[in-house]
Each structure stands twice: as structure tokens, then as C-alpha cells.
Amino acid sequence: MQEWREVADRVRNTLLPIAVGTRTSHFLALVKAANLKLSTHLNFSRVILRGDTDPEIIYAAIPRLPPQDPDAINLIKLACYEYDRFRAEHAMAGRMFVLYGMCLGIPDGDPRWQTWECHHATAVRNADVALLGLRSAAARLQALLDAYDTAMSFPSGSPARIAWIKEAQSLTRSALHGVTTAAVMVRLMCRAVLRQYIAVCMLLGR
């Protein structure tokens, strides 16, 4: 029984950092940085479409970013890596607690167990939507960079350049939506994990 109690404690210790956000803080920082990089692309495209050529105007339109920052693609890759880590930890905690419940013979109809299952399922759904947002952003980011490269191959002010810049703008907005969705859903996941953690404590009687 002591061994299973240690398993239960490990579950609590895994869930708590996710619940309070310390485990996901680096992920959210990476997503925020990617959002800023994407905003740079969007602002730059607006300047081009306005026809501004003054370097000072162009410079002022671009948000100031720390030097030697990773580009948006690498930021999203790093965010995916961080996501995979805390998502795997959450999944492991879920599997371990199911085994703990089976060991103790907790019935499926126990309201406390059903509460835990409900919050666990909510956390998983939120995490899945966050991953879809990341994948969507990554795909559109590569496409928008290709669109910018194509646009720059045409003369300034030409219909072809304008059309490709507008396409890049659309892709940028979609990528921004993806990273924003990822951040929002991970925060919602944390809330669900907090409720899950409380349910674990109730089942453990502490």
C-alpha cells in the first residue's frame, strides 16, 4: 500500500506544476515570442502595400525584437518540444492514477472518481486543440515565408507583388490565430489540471 501511496503522491507532484502554470510558462513565453515575430511580418506587409519606401517609416513599423532571437519557425518548433514534454507528463500522471484507482478498488460510480475523470478529459481536449493550433501555425508560417519570397521577385507596386503580399498577410493572420489558440487552450488546460489536482487530493483524503 505504501508503494501505491508514493505513486499517488507522484501524480500530485506532477500535476501541480502544470496546474499553477510553472510547467507551462516557458511554452507560453515561446508562443508569445512567435506571436511578436508574426506581427512583424504583418506590419511589414502593410508598409509594403501602402507603398512606403522611406527606411525610417519601414523601421518604425517593425516591433523591436531582442537581438539573436530565434526566428518564428524555430520558436514554434521549440514550443512544440515544450508542449510534448508537459503533455507527456500529464498523460503519464493520468495513467498512473488510473492504476492507483484500480489497486484501491475505487468504483467507477464514485462521484469523486467521476469528477477526476471529467477534469482529466477536459484537460486532454484542451491540450489537443492547442496542438492543432501549433501545427496550423507552423504550416502557415512556412507558406507565408514562401509567399513573401515570391512577392519580392516581382517589381515593386506590380499587381503580382501586391497579390502575393496580400496572400502572405492572410497566411500570417491564420498563423497568428494558431499560436493564439495554442496559448489560450494551454491556459484552459492548466485550469482543468488544477481541478484535476483538487480531485486527486479529495480522493486521497488530503
Side-chain angles (χ1 to χ4, degrees), residues 158-196:
S158 66
R161 173 178 280 199
I162 291 172
W164 277 105
I165 290 294
K166 288 182 177 179
E167 176 64 19
Q169 279 188 328
S170 177
L171 290 166
T172 303
R173 292 189 183 97
S174 294
L176 279 166
H177 177 73
V179 295
T180 300
T181 296
V184 169
M185 297 313 295
V186 164
R187 290 190 178 97
L188 290 176
M189 175 193 177
C190 291
R191 293 182 185 178
V193 173
L194 177 58
R195 297 186 181 100
Q196 188 182 353

Side-chain angles (χ1 to χ4, degrees), residues 13 60 70 108 137 141 146 155 169 172 182 187:
N13 293 335
D108 291 338
L141 178 55
D146 293 340
Q169 279 188 328
T172 303
R187 290 190 178 97

Side-chain angles (χ1 to χ4, degrees), residues 76 80 84 128-141 178 182:
I76 291 177
C80 287
D84 287 341
D128 288 345
V129 176
L131 180 58
L132 290 176
L134 283 179
R135 288 176 174 171
S136 172
R140 282 158 178 76
L141 178 55

Side-chain angles (χ1 to χ4, degrees), residues 5 97 100 104 106 110 112-114 116 198-206:
R5 197 72 178 187
F97 201 65
Y100 174 82
L104 294 187
I106 299 175
D110 188 314
R112 296 171 302 170
W113 186 260
Q114 290 179 335
W116 177 85
I198 293 171
V200 167
C201 292
M202 292 179 65
L203 280 162
L204 295 177
R206 61 171 77 175

Side-chain angles (χ1 to χ4, degrees), residues 25-35 70 74-76 78-80 82:
S25 60
H26 187 44
F27 167 86
L28 291 172
L30 290 167
V31 169
K32 182 178 180 180
N35 190 301
N74 283 321
L75 284 167
I76 291 177
L78 290 170
C80 287
E82 284 297 316

Side-chain angles (χ1 to χ4, degrees), residues 21-139:
T22 54
R23 186 63 188 83
T24 58
S25 60
H26 187 44
F27 167 86
L28 291 172
L30 290 167
V31 169
K32 182 178 180 180
N35 190 301
L36 183 56
K37 295 279 188 176
L38 289 166
S39 296
T40 300
H41 288 291
L42 195 58
N43 290 342
F44 187 66
S45 66
R46 287 169 179 160
V47 169
I48 294 175
L49 288 177
R50 285 203 309 263
D52 292 322
T53 57
D54 187 334
E56 291 187 3
I57 294 177
I58 295 174
Y59 184 77
I62 301 174
R64 304 281 71 78
L65 301 172
Q68 299 179 339
D69 262 8
D71 59 26
I73 289 179
N74 283 321
L75 284 167
I76 291 177
K77 286 181 179 178
L78 290 170
C80 287
Y81 173 74
E82 284 297 316
Y83 170 92
D84 287 341
R85 292 179 63 192
F86 68 73
R87 179 67 185 86
E89 291 169 6
H90 178 256
M92 177 198 68
R95 290 191 296 269
M96 290 173 64
F97 201 65
V98 167
L99 291 174
Y100 174 82
M102 292 172 60
C103 171
L104 294 187
I106 299 175
D108 291 338
D110 188 314
R112 296 171 302 170
W113 186 260
Q114 290 179 335
T115 297
W116 177 85
E117 287 184 320
C118 177
H119 295 318
H120 177 74
T122 299
V124 170
R125 285 195 301 271
N126 290 338
D128 288 345
V129 176
L131 180 58
L132 290 176
L134 283 179
R135 288 176 174 171
S136 172

